[in-house]
Amino acid sequence: MPTVHDWISDPLGVVEGLFAQSNTCPDWEKKVVEYFKEKLKPNDAHTWVPSLNDVPLHYLKPNSLVKFRCMVQDMFDPEFFMGVYETNDPTLDSKQVKCGKYKDITEGGQVDFNSRNTVTSERQTFYCVPIPGESQWVKEISFTWTQKLARVVPSTSYVPNRHKRSYEEDDEMDTQPQQMKGVRAQSSAESHGNIEPKRQETEAPSHDSSPSHCTSSLDLNFPLPGEKGPACLVKVYEDWDGFKLNDMLEVFGILSVDPALSVIADEREASSLLHPTEGMETVEEQRVHSPPASLVPRLHMLYAQPLVHNNPLLPSRSFYLNFYYIFTLHFKAELLTYLTHVLLGDSLAAEYLILHLISNVYSRRDVLPLGKFTLNLSGCPHSSPYTEHLYKVIQQLVPSSYRLCMSLHNMNNQRMVPRKDYTANRLVSGTLQLANNTSLFLDETQLEQGQLDATGVRNITALGNLITWQKVDYDFNYHQMEFSCNINVLITSEGRSLLPSDCQVHLRPTLNPPNLEEYLSAVQVAQVPSQLNKYRIYLSVARALNYTISDEITKAVEEDFVEMRKDDPQSMSAEDLHRLLVVARLLSLSNGQNTLSRDGWMKAKQLEALRMSRTQQQKCVNGNEP
């Protein structure tokens, strides 16, 4: 029976062993998947598997079992491969039937293409990237656990005690290999398929200053600017219809970085240039679909676990969430105090910020997303770096986030909506191609006077649709395709935002520190990592819990709504009621109640009354504000 080391270091050996039983066990392919699922079932088993997110590619053994925490950025066309093939060895005059599944290259002699034993199969290819905007604390915790628990099988000289150097920092030590690009000397890294320099394994080529290199023009297609990490071509063999674009996954698969893949790609590209009519693919398409394996490794999926969240402090299985929530209930008071300090003494704004951070689209009724809670925090100072510090606080609390400065330049120049490139046959990513539960921080204090061009108008429209309908219309040139999303949007502005929002809270500071930047830095530094971890667990669990309203409370709310409209029908619209119900839901969840009570309903009404009173007062001060 294979040991832990065997099924991680040599998963193909397990596959070959089960394939050898195919005559007596026709469903051997199902047995392979079941075998690895069973091995990964114990609570800590997945931590034994090395992660592509944490271990540099050149330290991983080819054909070993690895995992990759990622988002599906694109889905290529299905491809055919030889699931079973027969090799012929003329020297020994022998034939052998081999398994081609979970491999890119045939092996073991000359392939007999006319053999009756040949089985042609089909597989799907996903282009996967690290989860966009993943917070540094998520990467650091995951990295630490990988160093402690993973059974890393080194391909060269992996040294576990180098954990203080992050994945991104590792490439900064490689100035010497960068200078040797033109030499193309054989090295230990090259012998394992890592022909390209380490820098190109970990970051997009836009950061590469060497234009002479043949792959320097390859765009890794990360949705957010400045992102680093590996991109992967994930080969999917079963149930690929169950996956969707932008899904968050943890993929367990067999790593393939065979140098022959790069050679084959170069030969195909050269052939296409010499004989353009020979292939179906354009040169651009070949570059995108067959990049060097050292830059974009292949990962043959054995098993993929959809991720509800990417918080490494929590188990991925929802079964444990209720236990965690009971454990974290008292964290709300501490978090409220912390955010009140960050918001300069404004406890009402802090309460609404917590409600925003735990909001979640839990269902859709026709086109209406239920549960979203876009918050417009107005009254933010324009001249100070306040919004930048506020974003850093949120970044320390949520697993994934992105701050979009709404300057005129960004609005007119940034590509926000993904578009289809038919020449390269790929989806070109945009800023709004984000995974579910990402916190999008829109900094409107950066918007200055000027003219929005056609791109700027499209971007503002896309942001408005994202906020209102929780959808992004991807550009397919001849038509638009709608993709639903679940993104928390926080807008900071001086006055009321020009974008729609579900709720506006005007910041009313009670503290006036002489040096705002020093004060905010001191507030952040005062939060030790263990305290921040409590907040992170609390927020992630609160947004994942189920919530119900009993028939009795539903009837009481309806009666209350009629009563509120009795004296003044204009005082409470259907939209106001919907917002009040959302606030009541989030307030209940934040206080550890997964069902609405009469007391919870009254507290929500009081909270909304305070907020609306403040908004009315602000309108009186700024008479020109809508």
Side-chain angles (χ1 to χ4, degrees):
M1 198 67 185
T3 63
V4 170
H5 188 271
D6 291 336
W7 63 266
I8 291 178
S9 67
D10 186 25
L12 284 177
V14 176
V15 175
E16 294 286 355
L18 292 169
F19 172 72
Q21 304 170 18
S22 57
N23 289 332
T24 57
C25 183
D27 59 345
W28 69 273
E29 294 174 274
K30 190 183 292 184
K31 295 280 187 186
V32 169
V33 177
E34 289 174 354
Y35 175 89
F36 285 98
K37 278 187 178 178
E38 198 63 32
K39 289 293 182 185
L40 293 165
K41 190 175 286 184
N43 292 336
D44 60 343
H46 69 282
T47 60
W48 304 340
V49 181
S51 171
L52 268 174
N53 302 89
D54 306 320
V55 183
L57 182 60
H58 47 278
Y59 289 141
L60 290 169
K61 177 186 173 186
N63 299 322
S64 62
L65 183 68
V66 298
K67 63 184 177 185
F68 184 36
R69 189 175 64 256
C70 60
M71 183 190 82
V72 181
Q73 190 276 322
D74 199 0
M75 295 177 165
F76 295 159
D77 296 331
E79 63 184 27
F80 294 103
F81 72 100
M82 287 190 292
V84 179
Y85 61 94
E86 190 171 70
T87 57
N88 192 354
D89 190 342
T91 57
L92 299 175
D93 193 25
S94 65
K95 293 186 176 182
Q96 190 175 5
V97 177
K98 289 185 168 288
C99 172
K101 199 171 182 181
Y102 307 116
K103 298 175 186 175
D104 289 301
I105 307 294
T106 57
E107 54 189 30
Q110 187 178 356
V111 177
D112 182 1
F113 292 101
N114 298 316
S115 170
R116 292 183 178 180
N117 292 317
T118 300
V119 176
T120 302
S121 302
E122 187 181 18
R123 63 190 177 195
Q124 177 68 281
T125 303
F126 295 164
Y127 186 80
C128 296
V129 297
I131 296 169
E134 191 169 66
S135 299
Q136 190 60 33
W137 64 266
V138 174
K139 296 175 183 178
E140 288 173 357
I141 292 172
S142 174
F143 186 81
T144 302
W145 287 2
T146 295
Q147 294 295 336
K148 287 180 179 178
L149 302 171
R151 271 66 164 173
V152 177
V153 184
S155 66
T156 51
S157 55
Y158 181 66
V159 184
N161 63 11
R162 295 170 58 195
H163 65 276
K164 290 185 180 179
R165 279 169 54 188
S166 71
Y167 194 113
E168 288 83 359
E169 289 169 342
D170 188 78
D171 57 18
E172 294 175 6
M173 306 296 290
D174 300 324
T175 55
Q176 188 172 358
Q178 286 281 39
Q179 296 166 0
M180 296 175 63
K181 283 181 186 177
V183 179
R184 311 293 291 165
Q186 182 74 19
S187 66
S188 60
E190 183 173 338
S191 67
H192 292 282
N194 297 316
I195 299 174
E196 311 305 328
K198 295 180 197 173
R199 173 173 295 279
Q200 294 190 347
E201 292 168 9
T202 58
E203 67 180 291
S206 58
H207 301 276
D208 189 344
S209 58
S210 173
S212 61
H213 196 273
C214 61
T215 60
S216 62
S217 61
L218 183 62
D219 179 10
L220 293 181
N221 211 16
F222 293 147
L224 299 179
E227 291 277 278
K228 296 181 181 182
C232 264
L233 288 177
V234 177
K235 308 289 183 177
V236 187
Y237 292 87
E238 286 95 16
D239 304 324
W240 54 72
D241 290 336
F243 299 100
K244 303 190 302 297
L245 201 67
N246 306 329
D247 274 357
M248 272 196 305
L249 304 173
E250 185 160 49
V251 178
F252 294 86
I254 299 172
L255 177 67
S256 174
V257 287
D258 199 312
L261 291 169
S262 302
V263 175
I264 292 169
D266 290 343
E267 288 176 352
R268 288 171 65 191
E269 185 173 330
S271 175
S272 296
L273 290 170
L274 292 171
H275 307 285
T277 58
E278 277 192 3
M280 296 287 288
E281 292 182 331
T282 63
V283 174
E284 292 84 357
E285 190 171 351
Q286 287 175 13
R287 284 175 179 165
V288 168
H289 290 234
S290 304
S294 55
L295 181 62
V296 182
R298 280 56 165 171
L299 191 58
H300 295 267
M301 181 191 290
L302 289 162
Y303 168 64
Q305 181 174 313
L307 295 178
V308 179
H309 60 79
N310 58 317
N311 186 342
L313 297 168
L314 278 178
S316 55
R317 296 176 177 86
S318 58
F319 173 79
Y320 299 97
L321 292 182
N322 286 329
F323 166 76
Y324 267 78
Y325 201 50
I326 293 168
F327 176 67
T328 60
L329 276 180
H330 62 283
F331 296 160
K332 183 189 174 179
E334 298 170 19
L335 177 59
L336 186 62
T337 301
Y338 172 47
L339 292 180
T340 299
H341 285 300
V342 170
L343 294 169
L344 307 176
D346 191 341
S347 59
L348 181 67
E351 184 78 63
Y352 271 92
L353 184 54
I354 290 177
L355 301 189
H356 162 76
L357 291 173
I358 66 172
S359 64
N360 180 41
V361 177
Y362 61 88
S363 181
R364 290 180 186 267
R365 185 170 298 161
D366 296 326
V367 296
L368 184 66
L370 303 179
K372 73 182 183 74
F373 195 62
T374 297
L375 178 64
N376 173 207
L377 192 62
S378 59
C380 295
H382 168 71
S383 55
S384 70
Y386 178 74
T387 53
E388 185 180 342
H389 280 276
L390 178 59
Y391 172 66
K392 286 178 181 177
V393 168
I394 291 172
Q395 198 176 30
Q396 284 287 307
L397 296 176
V398 300
S400 303
S401 62
Y402 179 64
R403 177 182 177 227
L404 176 58
C405 294
M406 292 179 63
S407 65
L408 198 63
H409 179 269
N410 281 349
M411 290 296 99
N412 287 339
N413 292 280
Q414 198 160 340
R415 186 178 66 239
M416 293 191 188
V417 175
R419 64 174 179 83
K420 180 72 174 181
D421 179 354
Y422 287 97
T423 304
N425 192 18
R426 71 164 177 175
L427 183 67
V428 180
S429 64
T431 307
L432 297 184
Q433 188 176 10
L434 301 170
N436 283 348
N437 301 329
T438 301
S439 289
L440 181 59
F441 187 101
L442 300 180
D443 192 351
E444 207 175 288
T445 64
Q446 303 297 309
L447 189 60
E448 62 274 309
Q449 287 186 343
Q451 184 69 41
L452 286 173
D453 60 17
T455 301
V457 171
R458 280 196 299 270
N459 284 337
I460 291 291
T461 303
L463 288 172
N465 286 336
L466 167 65
I467 291 167
T468 305
W469 308 111
Q470 283 292 311
K471 70 181 180 71
V472 180
D473 294 323
Y474 289 17
D475 182 7
F476 280 74
N477 291 6
Y478 309 107
H479 67 283
Q480 291 187 326
M481 189 173 292
E482 181 182 301
F483 286 86
S484 298
C485 55
N486 184 2
I487 296 171
N488 273 14
V489 183
L490 174 65
I491 310 166
T492 55
S493 59
E494 289 183 89
R496 187 182 180 90
S497 172
L498 61 87
L499 292 167
S501 65
D502 298 305
C503 180
Q504 179 198 0
V505 178
H506 193 84
L507 192 61
R508 185 174 287 178
T510 59
L511 300 174
N512 187 22
N515 190 317
L516 182 60
E517 198 164 352
E518 282 185 10
Y519 167 77
L520 292 171
S521 298
V523 169
Q524 282 181 261
V525 170
Q527 300 298 313
V528 294
S530 59
Q531 189 68 26
L532 288 172
N533 285 344
K534 293 177 183 179
Y535 303 154
R536 293 159 181 167
I537 293 172
Y538 165 78
L539 292 172
S540 292
V541 174
R543 67 179 301 161
L545 287 179
N546 293 323
Y547 171 83
T548 58
I549 302 180
S550 66
D551 292 340
E552 179 189 352
I553 296 297
T554 300
K555 186 178 179 182
V557 168
E558 290 172 352
E559 292 172 353
D560 202 8
F561 176 61
V562 172
E563 191 66 31
M564 285 186 286
R565 285 175 55 88
K566 188 176 290 184
D567 296 330
D568 182 8
Q570 303 299 319
S571 64
M572 177 64 67
S573 65
E575 185 180 340
D576 294 331
L577 176 64
H578 175 74
R579 181 177 58 250
L580 188 53
L581 284 167
V582 172
V583 170
R585 173 182 179 271
L586 296 172
L587 192 60
S588 297
L589 290 174
S590 73
N591 291 324
Q593 300 164 352
N594 60 2
T595 185
L596 182 61
S597 64
R598 289 182 182 272
D599 185 50
W601 174 248
M602 295 306 296
K603 285 180 179 177
K605 285 173 62 178
Q606 291 168 8
L607 199 65
E608 271 292 272
L610 282 172
R611 183 191 68 83
M612 294 186 74
S613 171
R614 181 183 294 189
T615 304
Q616 289 299 324
Q617 290 173 23
Q618 192 61 33
K619 282 183 180 180
C620 294
V621 174
N622 300 339
N624 59 337
E625 188 170 296

